[in-house]
Amino acid sequence: MKKYLPVLIATSLSLTGCADLLKPEVENLPGKEAMYKEVTFAQGFLLNGYTRLPGLSFNDVATDDAVSNDKNNAFQKVATGQWTANFNPADQWVNSMAAIQYLNTMLAEVDKVTWAIDPKAAQMFRDRIKGEAYGLRAFYMFQLLRAHGGWSGGGELLGVPILTKPQDTNSDFNQPRATFEACMQQFYSDIKQAETLLPLDYEDVSTAGQVPSQYAGISPEEYTRVFGQYSRLRLTARIAKAIRAQAALLAASPAYKTGTTTTWADAANYAGEVLKLIGGPDRLAANGGTWYDNRTEINSLGAGINPPEILWRGDASNSRNLEEDNYPPSLFGRGRINPTQNLVDAFPMANGYPISASASEYRAQAPYTNRDPRLQRYVVTNGSTMGPSNTVIRTETGAGNDAVNQIETSTRTGYYLRKLLRADVNLNPIGANEQRHYTARIRYTEIFLIYAEAANEAWGPDGQGTFGFSARDVIRAIRKRAGIGTTNNDAYLTSVQSQADMRQLIRNERRLELCFEGFRFWDLRRWSEKLTETANGIQITNGNYAVIPVENRAFAAYMNHGPIPYGEMLKWKALVQNKGW
């Protein structure tokens, strides 16, 4: 065979050419330099930051608000003792660090890109791109601090490595974690840059007077080209302000406050600044509590327009995934997320009193009568109707597949999820349909609740700061919208006078208003509250209602803060793990 090898090689060379055979093909992968003249390619570095924005996680399953009938649910494993640095469905490290790398690349190269031939337009594009990149980088810093910030064994509150330049093959990847405070200061700096460079909202302008002063001399048409409606759903100065309020609330909270300089007053002021833009509690969206099922509003969304409740959202599209996962089995769903009795008990009576109060008129054997209207809006209870045909859902013993633990897709708690679902989705194979949904990234109700919590801690229940409204004013508006206390002017809210009592009421309102939107998992931790509350359900037999334990929680005290990923700890000696992990 060896004597024929030269002949074979010569024949191959004659057929293919030396260059084709002996040199690797040039890959069709553009390098970083390609972005300088290819605007679409350059935009990809920024858009990577948008594509990584987190969606719904249903981490409520790892709290006292919900369980799942899916044995493989990752957050259920977390709640029952399997949370480790090597198994962490709440991890934000890889996703956020990757986003920051792309955003840093964008910031490093943005001035070299030919965004437009006209120099004025090119400068506006550079400003907008920079503003978006700074704002998104701050957002991902917030995600990292919430998921991975924590106390070291040495008693120092640590954040994550601060990376403000793109890393390459020559970079030192073995970077230590900066202090939580240093991370917050970097966060605030990035938010300030975003606020300076971005418009409050993306709107078309028609007159020279509408063009901001820093772009004086630029025509309305030129300004609209860059900062007009076409860019809606991207980051704005308004969104940046809201993200600042979110992060400040985290930093001021009990689990972090001794390691930061951010105060409750800071958080209240940042939230108040956002709310002042819309006019305060009087402008709380009347239908904001059912934003996910406001069908006419959702179906008519266009051109990136936000409903009054929504400050930042994802794009709207047709789907039925949420309904397939969470409708009861009688409606052809999997019944995955099961609200707990704990959450149901947190809803007050319609007169505003907690069910434990003597004035509530609560009856244990008629537990859903005269309750806060939000209970039926967010949770399917025994006897509720659901779906496009208003099917009655029966969860009592012997009532069929919707009853507790009847089949694999039955509820474990006696309750099914209603919130986030559109009731006009039909899963019946004969007439199955899809309906429009969107992800609410930031709701104004969340910002109102941030203000209420921080204002109460900073100034007490009735302190107004410089905004002209108090924590009590905000909570009154939220409860009034919910339909609470309409017959007695919410006497319970009036009776709450101390800061401590108002704190508990605000936290409960936050629990109810934001349930199943991914907040309680983090709220319990930043409040340093008990994580091991047993998840309970209800067993209804022959008209008798009995509370039953459904799932124990197995969280250790150190789990108030999440871990640094195990893989990162193996790779980089400079990293310090959070205490306990």
Side-chain angles (χ1 to χ4, degrees):
M1 180 66 186
K2 289 183 179 180
K3 67 179 181 180
Y4 296 113
L5 190 57
V7 177
L8 291 172
I9 293 175
T11 303
S12 298
L13 291 174
S14 66
L15 292 174
T16 64
C18 293
D20 292 338
L21 180 67
L22 301 179
K23 291 185 179 180
E25 288 288 346
V26 176
E27 292 183 342
N28 188 28
L29 296 175
K32 181 177 65 176
E33 293 77 13
M35 70 191 297
Y36 302 153
K37 294 184 179 180
E38 298 179 26
V39 173
T40 302
F41 179 58
Q43 285 266 24
F45 286 83
L46 175 67
L47 295 179
N48 191 280
Y50 285 103
T51 60
R52 293 177 180 275
L53 290 170
L56 270 177
S57 69
F58 283 117
N59 56 22
D60 309 71
V61 169
T63 75
D64 51 356
D65 274 4
V67 301
S68 177
N69 62 20
D70 179 5
K71 296 178 181 178
N72 294 315
N73 183 286
F75 281 104
Q76 182 164 293
K77 293 179 180 180
V78 163
T80 53
Q82 298 181 55
W83 195 11
T84 67
N86 205 30
F87 175 73
N88 181 15
D91 172 75
Q92 290 294 320
W93 192 282
V94 174
N95 182 67
S96 295
M97 286 297 191
I100 289 172
Q101 167 69 3
Y102 277 99
L103 295 168
N104 283 342
T105 301
M106 185 78 266
L107 287 168
E109 307 296 334
V110 62
D111 289 334
K112 304 173 187 177
V113 178
T114 306
W115 295 106
I117 296 175
D118 178 72
K120 294 179 180 178
Q123 183 60 51
M124 287 191 293
F125 273 114
R126 282 193 289 271
D127 288 349
R128 197 197 76 196
I129 297 297
K130 287 179 183 178
E132 291 179 79
Y134 280 120
L136 287 170
R137 190 168 74 179
F139 173 84
Y140 286 107
M141 175 61 83
F142 167 51
Q143 298 297 304
L144 286 165
L145 291 178
R146 187 171 65 173
H148 303 289
W151 296 90
S152 71
E156 189 175 24
L157 183 60
L158 297 177
V160 297
I162 296 175
L163 304 174
T164 58
K165 296 181 179 180
Q167 295 175 298
D168 57 28
T169 54
N170 297 315
S171 298
D172 180 6
F173 291 87
N174 189 30
Q175 294 296 312
R177 297 169 65 189
T179 65
F180 194 97
E181 173 66 10
C183 290
M184 284 298 300
Q185 292 307 315
Q186 180 62 50
F187 167 88
Y188 287 136
S189 174
D190 283 351
I191 287 292
K192 184 176 181 180
Q193 291 274 26
E195 284 186 285
T196 300
L197 294 166
L198 294 174
L200 188 64
D201 302 296
Y202 292 112
E203 298 291 350
D204 293 351
V205 301
S206 57
T207 67
Q210 294 174 293
V211 176
S213 58
Q214 66 265 37
Y215 300 122
I218 291 174
S219 71
E221 293 75 19
E222 289 175 314
Y223 180 82
T224 295
R225 176 186 173 192
V226 180
F227 294 108
Q229 296 179 9
Y230 180 78
S231 297
R232 282 175 175 169
L233 300 185
R234 291 187 176 220
L235 203 88
T236 63
R238 185 188 298 267
I239 294 169
K241 292 174 187 290
I243 295 170
R244 182 174 60 185
Q246 291 176 319
L249 182 76
L250 178 78
S253 295
Y256 301 92
K257 66 179 182 180
T258 57
T260 76
T261 59
T262 299
T263 66
W264 285 116
D266 291 332
N269 286 328
Y270 296 149
E273 185 177 333
V274 178
L275 299 177
K276 192 173 181 179
L277 293 172
I278 64 168
D282 291 341
R283 296 295 300 275
L284 182 72
N287 63 352
T290 53
W291 60 270
Y292 53 89
D293 196 27
N294 296 335
R295 300 169 206 174
T296 301
E297 183 177 79
I298 295 172
N299 292 340
S300 63
L301 283 178
I305 294 173
N306 283 332
E309 169 65 9
I310 303 302
L311 196 154
W312 192 22
R313 67 173 176 89
D315 204 2
S317 61
N318 288 337
S319 70
R320 62 181 182 221
N321 297 336
L322 282 170
E323 291 75 21
E324 286 177 336
D325 277 343
N326 295 295
Y327 267 9
S330 66
L331 295 178
F332 304 93
R334 302 184 185 96
R336 289 307 191 203
I337 305 300
N338 308 152
T340 60
Q341 187 65 42
N342 314 55
L343 175 61
V344 170
D345 287 347
F347 288 90
M349 299 298 287
N351 65 11
Y353 285 91
I355 64 171
S356 58
S358 57
S360 70
E361 302 178 0
Y362 172 74
R363 291 182 293 156
Q365 296 306 310
Y368 315 127
T369 302
N370 295 326
R371 295 293 294 277
D372 176 344
R374 288 175 296 188
L375 175 58
Q376 291 299 325
R377 291 176 193 149
Y378 299 161
V379 178
V380 178
T381 66
N382 183 54
S384 294
T385 59
M386 192 179 191
S389 58
N390 289 320
T391 302
V392 177
I393 307 302
R394 295 290 181 189
T395 63
E396 71 264 28
T397 302
N401 289 343
D402 289 343
V404 175
N405 293 326
Q406 286 301 296
I407 58 175
E408 183 179 331
T409 54
S410 299
T411 177
R412 298 172 61 203
T413 63
Y415 301 105
Y416 290 97
L417 180 69
R418 189 190 302 276
K419 191 177 184 185
L420 306 181
L421 311 184
R422 281 192 57 157
D424 53 347
V425 168
N426 186 2
L427 300 183
N428 188 322
I430 297 175
N433 64 17
E434 294 182 343
Q435 298 294 350
R436 228 173 169 207
H437 299 71
Y438 66 87
T439 300
R441 295 196 176 111
I442 303 178
R443 294 202 287 131
Y444 275 107
T445 296
E446 180 199 349
I447 307 302
F448 275 111
L449 287 163
I450 290 174
Y451 179 84
E453 181 178 345
N456 180 60
E457 299 296 342
W459 311 313
D462 299 297
Q464 298 184 349
T466 61
F467 299 101
F469 52 89
S470 66
R472 190 187 307 276
D473 293 331
V474 167
I475 296 304
R476 186 178 299 280
I478 289 173
R479 284 161 67 91
K480 182 179 179 180
R481 179 181 72 182
I484 295 173
T486 57
T487 60
N488 64 353
N489 199 30
D490 204 349
Y492 177 72
L493 175 59
T494 302
S495 73
V496 174
Q497 293 298 314
S498 73
Q499 184 184 61
D501 288 345
M502 182 61 77
R503 176 185 303 131
Q504 294 309 311
L505 177 56
I506 291 169
R507 289 183 180 184
N508 195 66
E509 286 296 316
R510 184 177 174 90
R511 178 182 190 178
L512 303 182
E513 284 285 336
L514 303 181
C515 64
F516 307 112
E517 297 183 52
F519 289 91
R520 189 159 178 80
F521 182 83
W522 306 113
D523 284 344
L524 289 172
R525 285 165 172 76
R526 67 180 179 84
W527 291 331
S528 296
E529 284 204 345
K530 184 179 181 182
L531 303 176
T532 55
E533 195 75 36
T534 299
N536 294 324
I538 197 77
Q539 186 79 53
I540 309 171
T541 306
N542 297 325
N544 182 61
Y545 292 75
V547 176
I548 57 171
V550 174
E551 191 171 273
N552 293 326
R553 297 290 181 246
F555 291 113
Y558 66 83
M559 293 178 178
N560 265 336
H561 302 284
I564 304 302
Y566 179 68
E568 299 299 314
M569 294 299 301
L570 288 180
K571 288 187 291 186
W572 314 119
K573 292 182 180 180
L575 290 178
V576 174
Q577 183 60 277
N578 288 332
K579 184 178 181 180
W581 293 99

